[in-house]
Amino acid sequence: MASHQSLTDKLPSDFLWGFATASFQIEGSTDVDGRGKSIWDDFSKLPGKTLDGRDGDVATDSYNRWKEDLDLLTQYGVKSYRFSIAWSRIIPLGGRNDPVNEAGIQFYSNLIDALLERGIVPFVTLYHWDLPQALYERYGGWLSREIIDDYVNYAKICFERFGDRVKYWCVLTHNEPWCISILGHGRGVFAPGRSSDRTRSPEGDSSTEPWIVGHNLILAHAYACKLYREEFKAKQGGTIGITLNGDMALPYDDSPENITAAQHALDVAIGWFADPIYLGDYPAFLKEMLGDRLPRFTPEELAVVTGSSEFYGMNTYTTNLCKAGGDDEFQGKVEYTFTRPDGTQLGTQAHCAWLQDYPEGFRQLLNYLYKRYSKPIYVTENGFAVKDEHNMPVEQALADHDRVQYFKGNTAVILAAVKEDGVDIRSYFAWSLLDNFEWADGYITRFGLTYVDYETQKRYPKDSAKFYVQWFKEHTEVEEAPQPAEVPQQP
Ligand code: PNW
């Protein structure tokens, strides 16, 4: 890795910039080539689970159009592409004694080869929420410790089958464990949709299950990393870590209780996973809030968990102002708002209620994470959904001013954080390459820098893509041509 402290106003030539996607959000073709069902297949078809009542059966049809998508990446001139592998394409039933599906392996193999041929670095996520349905039926999925061995086996197959031809790849074990635990097993809005709220779910216990799921996610991640380091890293030379979601939390005002509230929000959103993985234990506040509802690690487990991630994978979208109070444990008993004490808004409102544009918060979070966890940071997702974009004619949607502003602000932050603050940032991936299946929002909320017409599946670069690509062209060093070998002087 080149020095990140160079005095130019550019990022090093090996800075990994590009776009991110996830299998279930783009692939479609859910029942071809031996793919097994994932928990999102049926969940997205239940009445009321997605805003528009639509599912992931077609999505952006990227299982068929993947070459077209890579052409788009080539046209954009990216350095890297972050995508996820669908577990149920590799092992349709998911488990360690279940058969491997060669057709699924072939699909991702071809994708990886094609990326390398185009000079694009593959950045692979092993798990972006599409758990094989069979594992949920067998033992409750992430609720059971059984999942750890099954996940490690799945990871092993990926390392064996994809790791050899990939010189430099980053493996993210999990994408956003907070979402898996809380949204999937606490609030019940994401698959498998478990919650104590019986209007939402026939089963589930929101007071215990999210914390059990989180614990098992951490262990599965840690044992997959251990395996990679012991059996693959030396010969494959890759790097491995986890990606956490987490938005900046700032105190609503300078009262001591709101300053503490902001820290509690960070402890639950980020520290829940990052503290054990990078620092060796759950945050004190979490232990205090949950008592014996928070599972504990044995000393042997903790030895595997601590230091398991070689970098900090960062998905972040916004900043919340925090007020002490309320009883929402999933936010650390803190209330979030975007409205400042003087009544003004923090930033520009996105289509989704939870997102406003606030670049200063992004910069503060980068600094907070780097200081607290002392790891190189890979920004693995960052993005914005323009209000009412789904109702606009294409031409209007392409002029996505608010998204351009968002990326203007946040790319400037990347440069400032690297050059002025000395934060070691190695990547930046915009979410997302394409408009796609936005989980509980169906196809209503659009995060793409490329517009997708869902009738024709045609792709159209938005203004934000043009801005984004141009910005990185102007702000990354050109790769140095290899120096000619010195000819030894004749005596
Ligand atoms: C991330 N929230 O999810 C995911 O990694 C992507 O798959 C997703 O499309 C993207 O962000 C945009 O939503 C999140 O409620 C989902 O705070 C929900 C939240 C945050 C992130």
Side-chain angles (χ1 to χ4, degrees), residues 188-468:
V189 294
F190 280 9
R194 298 178 68 91
S195 172
S196 295
D197 179 348
R198 289 287 165 265
T199 64
R200 279 210 179 124
S201 173
E203 54 189 2
D205 177 352
S206 305
S207 71
T208 54
E209 291 187 358
W211 316 109
I212 295 168
V213 166
H215 196 73
N216 291 334
L217 281 162
I218 294 170
L219 288 168
H221 148 80
Y223 282 96
C225 291
K226 180 175 190 283
L227 174 83
Y228 185 75
R229 284 161 153 193
E230 288 175 356
E231 292 182 27
F232 296 93
K233 191 174 166 75
K235 48 178 195 266
Q236 296 185 351
T239 178
I240 189 162
I242 192 167
T243 218
L244 306 178
N245 59 306
D247 296 322
M248 188 55 195
L250 293 175
Y252 175 71
D253 55 24
D254 54 13
S255 69
E257 63 272 21
N258 290 338
I259 292 172
T260 306
Q263 186 57 51
H264 288 172
L266 290 168
D267 286 345
V268 178
I270 294 172
W272 174 11
F273 302 97
D275 280 19
I277 289 172
Y278 302 104
L279 306 178
D281 201 4
Y282 282 126
F285 168 68
L286 203 67
K287 293 198 251 185
E288 183 196 306
M289 179 175 81
L290 299 172
D292 58 13
R293 285 183 293 136
L294 183 68
R296 299 301 153 91
F297 299 105
T298 65
E300 298 77 49
E301 288 170 348
L302 208 51
V304 176
V305 167
T306 309
S308 50
S309 208
E310 298 173 355
F311 56 82
Y312 186 99
M314 176 187 193
N315 285 0
T316 193
Y317 287 85
T318 195
T319 296
N320 292 297
L321 298 177
C322 299
K323 278 187 206 173
D327 50 14
D328 188 349
E329 289 183 339
F330 307 152
Q331 291 176 188
K333 300 190 176 176
V334 167
E335 285 171 11
Y336 290 169
T337 178
F338 289 129
T339 308
R340 295 192 185 87
D342 67 5
T344 59
Q345 292 296 290
L346 196 64
T348 306
Q349 181 63 48
H351 190 76
C352 26
W354 55 269
L355 172 49
Q356 285 197 356
D357 177 13
Y358 188 62
E360 292 81 354
F362 179 40
R363 184 167 180 176
Q364 284 167 294
L365 186 59
L366 284 163
N367 278 279
Y368 170 83
L369 295 173
Y370 191 55
K371 194 165 163 220
R372 185 171 174 101
Y373 302 116
S374 318
K375 286 284 173 192
I377 294 177
Y378 287 77
V379 180
T380 39
E381 275 179 37
N382 192 227
F384 191 82
V386 173
K387 236 181 173 172
D388 297 326
E389 210 177 332
H390 67 294
N391 283 327
M392 296 175 188
V394 193
E395 313 74 57
Q396 198 185 336
L398 299 186
D400 56 340
H401 174 265
D402 287 354
R403 189 179 286 104
V404 171
Q405 288 304 113
Y406 183 90
F407 283 108
K408 259 187 196 162
N410 287 355
T411 48
V413 161
I414 288 287
L415 201 59
V418 170
K419 298 294 172 185
E420 292 167 33
D421 308 341
V423 180
D424 184 358
I425 307 172
R426 309 274 177 100
S427 80
Y428 184 81
F429 292 94
W431 184 268
S432 179
L433 175 65
L434 306 167
D435 290 333
N436 57 42
F437 176 73
E438 178 50 29
W439 309 111
D441 285 10
Y443 297 89
I444 301 264
T445 302
R446 289 173 175 261
F447 270 93
L449 284 78
T450 312
Y451 184 90
V452 176
D453 176 336
Y454 292 116
E455 298 288 315
T456 61
Q457 292 292 353
K458 260 195 84 147
R459 279 86 158 125
Y460 305 84
K462 299 179 190 177
D463 286 354
S464 55
K466 294 175 190 160
F467 165 79
Y468 179 71

Side-chain angles (χ1 to χ4, degrees), residues 24 27-30 40 44-45 54-59 437 443:
F24 193 77
E27 287 178 357
S29 299
T30 47
W40 271 94
S44 60
K45 292 185 177 65
R54 293 172 64 201
D55 57 41
D57 283 358
V58 177
F437 176 73
Y443 297 89

